[in-house]
Amino acid sequence: MNTERVLTGIRPTGLLHIGNYFGATRNFLRMQADFDCYVFVADWHSLTTHPDTAELQNGVRRVLAENIACGLDPEKVTLYIQSDIPEIAELYLYLNMMAYKGELEKTTTFKEKVRQHPDNVNAGLLTYPVLQAADILIHRAGKVPVGKDQEQHLEMARNFAQRFNFRYGNGETILPEPAAFNYDGGELVKILSLNGEGKMSKSENEMNTLYLADTDEMIRKKLMKAKTDQGPETGHAPKPDYIQNLFTLLKLVSTPDVLNHFEDQFNQSSAGNCVIRYGDLKKQLAQDMISFITPIRQKAEEILANRDYLSGIMRHGKEKARASADETLQLVRKAIGVTYY
Ligand code: ATP
Ligand code: MG
């Protein structure tokens, strides 16, 4: 195993869907075999936009259970809850002294959040990228898998690390600058919602998103309602994006034979000669999707039912993560000079 550290966080704000699985989780599963991985549940981050904590207990347990059910191995990765590591908050405080109001206000995600939550533009929202930098730098992680929307935040984390080293490092790199991480050129999959409007999402468009917690009937129902049309006008026609999305899903959960079968039928179809029957495609896709989701759902339910097991994992993760965080914080305190005896 490469000893390089990779870090990633998940907000406990809703049920995982197959977009999360194929867009993100699947990569963590691969990373855990190759790197020293830190994966945390970002409960502090969720407070910036979800101040009501009634669902937090369940949300944290569920997101842990679902990730473990997907194959994340708590023995291989350091899996922990953000709020269990007070060292992150202390580093956040130091980094806040190096983050400027102007640059924080300019952040794209901040401006977006201000639009979405005009009644709750709290300082936590403004300093979200600083907390995120603390999450990464506290373990001196070198690599962070990020989507397009997070690139700016990573750039800020690099800037804060650089400023810290410049001001307090005395020629040394106390906080290494993290780089974005992607597997081999990173073919990023994006799963659209089943009505073709936007992407599948934890918090929007629920009837058009396939959740890892969905029952067999629910999966079938959602897929049978998925948007299609009359079929292609000409042979080998380009696919509209909502049709392409169904083929993408087939590619992800069905056998190559099944995929080829429907690809051929699509290519042979034209106006007045529609060989492909989208009803059949959806039925097959539903069956294969059920085979994919059911074991994950059942495993997650099993894990959730075992409170002690999950608590044990959180405790174990906390211990490992705090050891690493404490090491960094000692260096940071010493560098700043807040050590008096
Ligand atoms: P929310 O609606 O709360 O923003 P979300 O479904 O967008 O939730 P995030 O927590 O924002 O999920 O994202 C977690 C990870 O899943 C990110 O790496 C993101 O790029 C990926 N992801 C989210 N939705 C999709 C999707 N539809 N297809 C592919 N990847 C996705
Ligand atoms: Mg999102």
Side-chain angles (χ1 to χ4, degrees):
M1 188 178 81
N2 191 325
T3 52
E4 196 164 12
R5 287 186 180 172
V6 180
L7 174 133
T8 187
I10 318 155
R11 295 211 310 163
T13 47
L15 298 171
L16 291 191
H17 52 80
I18 57 158
N20 297 137
Y21 183 89
F22 289 109
T25 314
R26 194 171 57 159
N27 286 336
F28 307 165
L29 300 184
R30 208 171 142 193
M31 279 182 289
Q32 69 181 350
D34 300 343
F35 295 96
D36 181 14
C37 287
Y38 285 71
V39 179
F40 69 99
V41 180
D43 58 342
W44 279 337
H45 280 293
S46 67
L47 293 178
T48 58
T49 50
H50 294 63
D52 179 355
T53 51
E55 276 306 308
L56 195 57
Q57 295 278 326
N58 282 335
V60 167
R61 284 182 171 263
R62 181 160 275 283
V63 83
L64 275 177
E66 287 188 333
N67 273 283
I68 297 168
C70 286
L72 202 71
D73 182 348
E75 291 303 318
K76 277 199 204 135
V77 307
T78 303
L79 183 59
Y80 61 99
I81 314 296
Q82 188 183 29
S83 62
D84 268 338
I85 317 297
E87 288 81 3
I88 297 171
E90 186 173 334
L91 183 58
Y92 169 57
L93 182 146
Y94 298 133
L95 296 178
N96 266 321
M97 311 300 174
M98 276 163 230
Y100 301 105
K101 180 171 165 277
E103 66 184 333
L104 296 172
E105 282 171 343
K106 272 198 316 213
T107 316
T108 315
T109 45
F110 175 68
K111 290 195 276 192
E112 238 169 59
K113 295 263 164 75
V114 170
R115 258 195 313 267
Q116 289 165 354
H117 311 267
D119 305 331
N120 185 20
V121 184
N122 57 74
L125 215 48
L126 182 68
T127 56
Y128 196 113
V130 188
L131 182 54
Q132 212 174 47
D135 291 326
I136 301 166
L137 300 175
I138 197 71
H139 299 300
R140 284 167 288 154
K143 287 190 157 61
V144 186
V146 288
K148 270 258 162 281
D149 56 331
Q150 294 290 320
E151 274 171 352
Q152 194 179 26
H153 288 183
L154 194 62
E155 176 75 40
M156 293 172 87
R158 275 197 292 275
N159 288 340
F160 300 146
Q162 219 173 61
R163 283 176 211 167
F164 185 92
N165 294 328
F166 183 72
R167 196 177 292 174
Y168 299 119
N170 204 6
E172 278 187 54
T173 301
I174 313 280
L175 301 174
E177 292 177 38
F181 177 84
N182 257 327
Y183 270 115
D184 34 49
E187 188 209 336
L188 289 181
V189 198
K190 182 167 160 191
I191 311 290
L192 301 187
S193 73
L194 296 172
N195 62 356
E197 286 164 24
K199 66 170 196 66
M200 287 194 183
S201 150
K202 290 215 291 282
S203 49
E204 287 161 45
N205 217 344
E206 279 163 35
M207 280 315 289
N208 292 296
T209 296
L210 294 168
Y211 294 99
L212 298 178
D214 279 345
T215 60
D216 296 1
E217 300 88 277
M218 188 54 94
I219 296 167
R220 211 171 278 123
K221 188 169 157 197
K222 287 178 177 176
L223 275 171
M224 293 318 285
K225 278 196 340 189
K227 177 172 175 178
T228 52
D229 52 27
Q230 302 297 328
E233 293 288 309
T234 61
H236 293 269
K239 298 187 184 83
D241 56 4
Y242 48 90
I243 297 293
Q244 178 55 52
N245 196 44
L246 296 178
F247 276 92
T248 302
L249 293 176
L250 274 179
K251 183 163 178 219
L252 293 169
V253 299
S254 301
T255 63
D257 286 349
V258 167
L259 175 67
N260 290 338
H261 169 74
F262 287 108
E263 286 278 8
D264 288 345
Q265 285 196 338
F266 181 90
N267 286 330
Q268 286 158 21
S269 299
S270 54
N273 175 32
C274 192
V275 182
I276 191 162
R277 289 174 192 280
Y278 288 133
D280 290 348
L281 183 155
K282 290 174 175 183
K283 235 182 253 162
Q284 178 70 44
L285 177 56
Q287 195 178 318
D288 295 334
M289 190 57 74
I290 287 168
S291 303
F292 176 78
I293 289 180
T294 303
I296 297 178
R297 183 186 67 233
Q298 288 171 344
K299 185 96 197 283
E301 292 304 334
E302 237 170 72
I303 295 168
L304 269 175
N306 192 344
R307 285 190 71 81
D308 291 347
Y309 169 75
L310 264 187
S311 303
I313 283 176
M314 289 189 253
R315 249 182 244 118
H316 178 59
K318 172 180 173 174
E319 228 167 83
K320 283 206 280 182
R322 280 198 83 176
S324 144
D326 182 59
E327 237 174 73
T328 305
L329 204 54
Q330 297 298 337
L331 295 174
V332 164
R333 285 168 150 248
K334 193 157 161 261
I336 301 177
V338 288
T339 45
Y340 305 107
Y341 50 85

